[in-house]
Amino acid sequence: MNDVRDLSHFVEHLNGGIARLHLAIDGMTCAGCMFRIESGLTSVPNVEKARVNLTNRRLAVEWRDGTLDPAQLIDRLAELGYKAQPFDPERAEVAEAHDAHFLLRCLGVAAFAAMNIMLLSVSVWSGNLSDITPEQRDFFHWLSALIALPAAAYAGRPFFYSGVRALSTGRLNMDVPITLGVLLALGMSVFETLHHAEHAYFDSAIMLLTFLLAGRYFDQNMRRRTHAVASNLAALKAEMVCKFVSADEISEVPVVAIRAGDIVLVRPGERLAVDGVVVDGRSTIDQSLVTGETKPLSVGKAANVYAGTLNISGTLRVRVDAAASGTLLDEISRLLEKAIEARSRYVRLADRAARFYAPAVHLTALATLFGWIAVGASWHDAIVIAIAVLIITCPCALGLAIPAVQVVASGALFRAGVLLKAGDAIERLADVDTIVFDKTGTLTLPDPEVVNAADVPHHVLVLAGRLALASRHPLATAVARAVRAKAPIDGAIEEAGRGVRACVNGIEMRLGRPSFCDAEAQAAAVARQDPEASAVAVAYGEERHVLSVRQRIRPDAAASINDLRGQGFAVEILSGDRRQAVEHVAQALGVDNVRTGVAPADKIHRIEELKRAGRRVLMVGDGLNDAPALAAADVSLSPVSAAQLTQAAADAIFLGDTLAPVAAALALARRAKRIMRENLAMAVLYNAIAVPLAIFGFATPLVAAIAMSGSSVLVTANALRARKLAEKATRWKF
Amino acid sequence: MEVLIYLVPMALALGILGLVAFLWSLRSGQYDDLEGAAWRAIMDEDHAREPRDQ
């Protein structure tokens, strides 16, 4: 069957007859990939431009409109070895890119002004010690004002807007003392310059803005990066669906283009991308990703089928049913919404610090003002000193303390195979003391595997693998994968629902159900050993063998779980699967705390019960039935094979076949949080030294400049230590 | 100190030139992909064109 893929939904039409498509690319790991993709695509006729963005792993292709089918580009990428999916850049992402540009422009202006003013200030400071005349000093101060005032008006906007917004809703945030400090410093400096004073604080105000904008930009950059990861994952998960465009013609279209009432074709081995009702055909369906239940379910006409389930044996025609109320998926979506609403908003470390910092700063400045007046200073001197206190306490190092660590730690997590989707997830991960695992697809690998390959003669197994390539049945796929079969056997015939047969070197060979291969006795023997496994029989001439196929536990699961428990985490299994299936895994991993046959709502209840008991819960799960529990937990992880809805609910995604990234993420997060605390402590220490100096009137612009830049550099350098652990945990070199 | 009459405007002009160059580079998207840009600098032009010539 030759499909027509219709990607027109994603194509942008630009001016000048150019069409553009944005693609999320999977498997792009290094600069070499970037060159291969770009040169591989520009060699396609009519392609005008192909530009890879290595930072967020995306590609923009432009071609002359109407000259080629965008599906060709995806095929070309597949030839090159990359999986690509088109996507719409989300509106939120566009707005964020805009914000990031704005911040960077502000940062550029502030940095330019800071450099030029510092040039003038250093002249004044050295001149004050030698032979500068008051006229020359005034001239330099006025020049500084000329640069500083417009620069602050431009570059200070992110803080001014946010500070005013906070005040108008009756709150105090970090931007209020910043705004006040900058405005007062500039105002006072203009006043002092008018009166030919020795000190002006133009440099302090602008330097403060520069450092704070750098911190703000880091923070924003991190948020953009996590969002890009999230939408790439969503795009790569979005499946294509075979839709009937007329009674007997099909076309392959993206899921987003499917409407209720459409009829779609689902072939064996395909995962359903929609909810609906079977209108024609019979098959068995694997619901493990939806419910955690590993036993296949047989469906026929009028049966309800759900997105995320896997069609195993027969071809189905499904009528899409968008308003599937009262269904399992509907129930899960409802629970998910509730869980997200109820998620107690975690107060970030920085916000907690700000809450007490802003009032403390203002009170100190006010106390200084009245203190100096009380001891008989003039109003002018008292105000100048009070403003110096405000300037020196401005949270310069504080503004960098946390974003710098976040950026470094998220990079380290990325290299350890963990993609963050929420910026504050690092802080929440660091607090975890209880880990709840789902079983199917989380502790076990998502795809079934042959577990008794050693019991079958190798040449028979290799032939069986090649024969298995003729079928898309998941069990056949597992057999083919077991021997990495690549060469299909000629003339293989699939008998739907039974198996595959072919003639190999004049000997008849069959692969399929035990009854199809006349191997029921051997199958019964295998079933006695491992009742949970599925049996695939092989008949080769007179030989009969039975392969036992099951979801295997992740290779390092036992070691990882042991390791986690050794570190003092409480570990629990919460599965929707049957008791027998879960217990086998629990025993192998040595986990006693097991709950089986748990419905999605009960998973939430259990997690809430743990939270009420004061536990900080990390939920690790991949099924649709886990999605609400992921949202209800304090923090959540999903393997990259998880269902789309589940990944959307998780705070981070981990890659690969092992559970090692879970432990690495926890260790890195703890380290990152410790460094964040250290940074905050450093910022406090800085204040403990600088504030008394300012209160007693020694905070000249020179002192302010040294204190501010010194503490900022120290905090940033400390943040770089969050990288260190990563080298041990690094598994994914990019 | 008359030299300041030339030096100060020159310093400012150079500074503004730098700022304009930065804003231009920002606008033309040179900060959109920092990782890729690092590698493009060492990209072998001939190698990159090869497939097109084939």
Side-chain angles (χ1 to χ4, degrees):
Chain A
M1 220 175 314
N2 227 345
D3 300 335
V4 187
R5 268 175 302 169
D6 182 8
L7 297 176
S8 52
H9 179 82
F10 296 103
V11 176
E12 267 179 274
H13 302 280
L14 308 178
N15 294 333
I18 296 288
R20 181 162 66 189
L21 183 66
H22 288 279
L23 295 155
I25 309 272
D26 194 23
M28 180 163 61
T29 52
C30 63
C33 300
M34 174 170 88
F35 301 146
R36 269 183 52 191
I37 290 173
E38 287 186 356
S39 53
L41 279 181
T42 41
S43 65
V44 175
N46 289 322
V47 170
E48 294 277 317
K49 196 170 132 192
R51 182 105 181 155
V52 165
N53 186 324
L54 195 61
T55 312
N56 51 24
R57 278 145 229 279
R58 289 190 183 155
L59 168 71
V61 204
E62 291 176 12
W63 66 92
R64 275 195 289 278
D65 210 352
T67 54
L68 60 85
D69 176 8
Q72 265 175 273
L73 300 170
I74 293 183
D75 292 341
R76 176 79 185 124
L77 284 166
E79 267 172 51
L80 294 168
Y82 303 96
K83 185 182 170 200
Q85 266 304 332
F87 76 102
D88 283 324
E90 270 178 65
R91 196 173 305 164
E93 232 181 281
V94 174
E96 267 177 7
H98 185 262
D99 282 356
H101 267 198
F102 174 58
L103 277 177
L104 205 51
R105 271 201 319 270
C106 289
L107 180 59
V109 170
F112 148 79
M115 280 186 282
N116 283 277
I117 295 172
M118 209 38 92
L119 196 74
L120 298 165
S121 294
V122 171
S123 318
V124 173
W125 296 336
S126 50
N128 275 343
L129 295 177
S130 53
D131 59 348
I132 197 167
T133 63
E135 291 75 30
Q136 282 167 348
R137 189 168 58 215
D138 280 355
F139 174 63
F140 276 40
H141 280 167
W142 281 121
L143 261 181
S144 302
L146 180 73
I147 305 169
L149 295 178
Y154 185 86
R157 283 178 298 165
F159 306 103
F160 302 160
Y161 292 158
S162 148
V164 168
R165 246 200 323 275
L167 280 181
S168 66
T169 53
R171 290 177 303 116
L172 273 184
N173 64 4
M174 210 65 124
D175 294 332
V176 175
I178 292 169
T179 305
L180 216 60
V182 168
L183 291 182
L184 283 174
L186 291 173
M188 177 185 80
S189 301
V190 171
F191 181 84
E192 293 284 281
T193 307
L194 277 171
H195 291 83
H196 315 291
E198 200 177 320
H199 296 308
Y201 290 87
F202 293 114
D203 46 15
S204 307
I206 296 296
M207 191 158 66
L208 182 71
L209 282 181
T210 309
F211 281 125
L212 289 172
L213 280 166
R216 217 39 78 89
Y217 179 67
F218 285 158
D219 199 38
Q220 165 80 13
N221 215 358
M222 154 103 179
R223 232 173 311 158
R224 265 175 82 202
R225 198 170 178 151
T226 51
H227 274 187
V229 165
S231 59
N232 278 7
L233 285 170
L236 287 166
K237 282 273 158 184
E239 284 130 304
M240 302 292 283
V241 185
C242 276
K243 172 185 154 181
F244 280 90
V245 283
S246 71
D248 47 10
E249 253 183 293
I250 57 169
S251 168
E252 207 167 288
V253 294
V255 180
V256 281
I258 291 282
R259 303 277 166 269
D262 285 348
I263 308 280
V264 299
L265 185 74
V266 187
R267 286 164 294 195
E270 285 182 350
R271 210 170 267 288
L272 270 81
V274 292
D275 287 356
V277 183
V278 176
V279 289
D280 191 27
R282 315 198 113 267
S283 179
T284 45
I285 296 266
D286 173 8
Q287 300 208 343
S288 62
L289 200 56
V290 180
T291 58
E293 162 76 58
T294 44
K295 201 170 176 179
L297 182 80
S298 50
V299 294
K301 205 167 171 179
N304 282 310
V305 287
Y306 308 111
T309 56
L310 183 69
N311 182 20
I312 299 178
S313 51
T315 302
L316 294 174
R317 288 186 185 205
V318 176
R319 192 179 61 239
V320 180
D321 190 0
S325 64
T327 64
L328 185 70
L329 198 66
D330 183 52
E331 166 81 1
I332 286 171
S333 313
R334 202 174 51 74
L335 285 171
L336 183 60
E337 250 166 59
K338 243 170 79 183
I340 289 171
E341 260 172 47
R343 183 178 235 176
S344 56
R345 252 196 57 70
Y346 176 83
V347 186
R348 295 166 56 149
L349 209 51
D351 295 338
R352 269 183 283 170
R355 218 174 262 179
F356 107 102
Y357 196 81
V361 164
H362 293 158
L363 287 177
T364 314
L366 212 62
T368 310
L369 177 69
F370 290 118
W372 277 97
I373 288 167
V375 297
S378 69
W379 274 94
H380 169 264
D381 289 350
I383 288 174
V384 167
I385 293 172
I387 290 176
V389 169
L390 262 189
I391 296 172
I392 213 141
T393 50
C394 252
C396 203
L398 214 53
L400 278 168
I402 288 168
V405 180
Q406 275 183 339
V407 167
V408 176
S410 72
L413 280 172
F414 187 65
R415 282 187 298 278
V418 181
L419 308 179
L420 275 188
K421 282 178 52 220
D424 59 348
I426 297 178
E427 290 177 33
R428 288 184 277 132
L429 264 173
D431 293 336
V432 164
D433 55 14
T434 304
I435 309 173
V436 178
F437 285 99
D438 168 47
K439 186 209 69 153
T440 318
T442 306
L443 291 172
T444 63
L445 286 169
D447 299 316
E449 281 179 51
V450 176
V451 288
N452 64 340
D455 301 347
V456 180
H458 190 66
H459 69 281
V460 178
L461 191 64
V462 170
L463 282 176
R466 290 177 56 196
L467 185 59
L469 287 174
S471 167
R472 292 181 73 178
H473 192 285
L475 293 178
T477 317
V479 174
R481 213 173 25 235
V483 291
R484 298 207 174 83
K486 286 205 178 69
I489 289 172
D490 281 342
I493 297 161
E494 179 166 17
E495 294 189 10
R498 301 183 64 202
V500 208
R501 61 185 165 84
C503 206
V504 186
N505 307 330
I507 302 170
E508 173 161 30
M509 180 160 197
R510 288 175 172 226
L511 175 81
R513 284 172 178 255
S515 56
F516 177 66
C517 301
D518 190 23
E520 275 145 324
Q522 288 90 335
V526 169
R528 266 196 301 280
Q529 279 177 10
D530 189 353
E532 287 307 315
S534 313
V536 181
V538 190
Y540 183 61
E542 294 302 309
E543 286 184 57
R544 297 285 181 273
H545 302 286
V546 173
L547 297 168
S548 165
V549 178
R550 64 175 307 140
Q551 288 195 315
R552 214 158 50 94
I553 299 174
R554 286 183 190 258
D556 69 335
S560 286
I561 289 198
N562 244 331
D563 183 30
L564 288 172
R565 276 201 308 218
Q567 291 176 40
F569 292 106
V571 175
E572 209 176 306
I573 296 179
L574 207 55
S575 174
D577 206 351
R578 287 155 298 146
R579 168 163 283 279
Q580 301 90 314
V582 183
E583 261 173 6
H584 168 85
V585 173
Q587 267 166 19
L589 298 178
V591 178
D592 309 323
N593 207 342
V594 181
R595 283 176 171 69
T596 57
V598 193
D602 296 331
K603 286 200 176 191
I604 295 190
H605 287 156
R606 175 60 190 154
I607 282 177
E608 275 168 359
E609 199 181 333
L610 285 167
K611 280 166 84 175
R612 270 198 300 277
R615 300 299 192 85
R616 299 298 181 103
V617 185
L618 163 64
M619 171 84 201
V620 190
D622 79 320
L624 283 175
N625 60 334
D626 297 317
L630 290 173
D634 289 300
V635 58
S636 48
L637 279 171
S638 266
V640 72
S641 54
Q644 188 184 349
L645 186 68
T646 315
Q647 285 191 348
D651 290 311
I653 308 294
F654 65 94
L655 307 174
D657 278 352
T658 63
L659 273 185
V662 177
L666 286 166
L668 264 166
R670 288 185 162 194
R671 186 183 172 86
K673 185 143 187 183
R674 199 168 59 240
I675 294 174
M676 283 180 196
R677 285 183 193 284
E678 278 170 22
N679 272 354
L680 288 179
M682 264 189 224
V684 169
L685 186 74
Y686 149 79
N687 276 314
I689 297 167
V691 171
L693 279 180
I695 290 176
F696 293 111
F698 298 116
T700 61
L702 177 61
V703 171
I706 293 172
M708 257 188 229
S709 46
S711 63
S712 298
V713 169
L714 209 63
V715 162
T716 313
N718 192 39
L720 290 177
R721 295 197 308 129
R723 232 187 167 90
K724 248 189 183 162
L725 186 86
E727 274 149 33
K728 266 186 259 160
T730 296
R731 303 170 54 246
W732 304 84
K733 280 244 189 283
F734 292 108
Chain B
M1 279 295 153
E2 283 73 33
V3 71
L4 281 181
I5 294 168
Y6 310 107
L7 279 184
V8 165
M10 245 167 80
L12 278 180
L14 283 175
I16 287 172
L17 200 71
L19 180 67
V20 169
F22 170 76
L23 292 179
W24 166 78
S25 65
L26 180 64
R27 192 172 291 267
S28 63
Q30 296 188 28
Y31 294 90
D32 290 349
D33 178 19
L34 295 174
E35 245 170 82
W39 291 102
R40 279 179 208 279
I42 57 162
M43 180 166 168
D44 191 347
E45 290 282 328
D46 299 337
H47 177 73
R49 288 221 187 95
E50 207 172 29
R52 197 191 288 226
D53 297 338
Q54 276 169 2

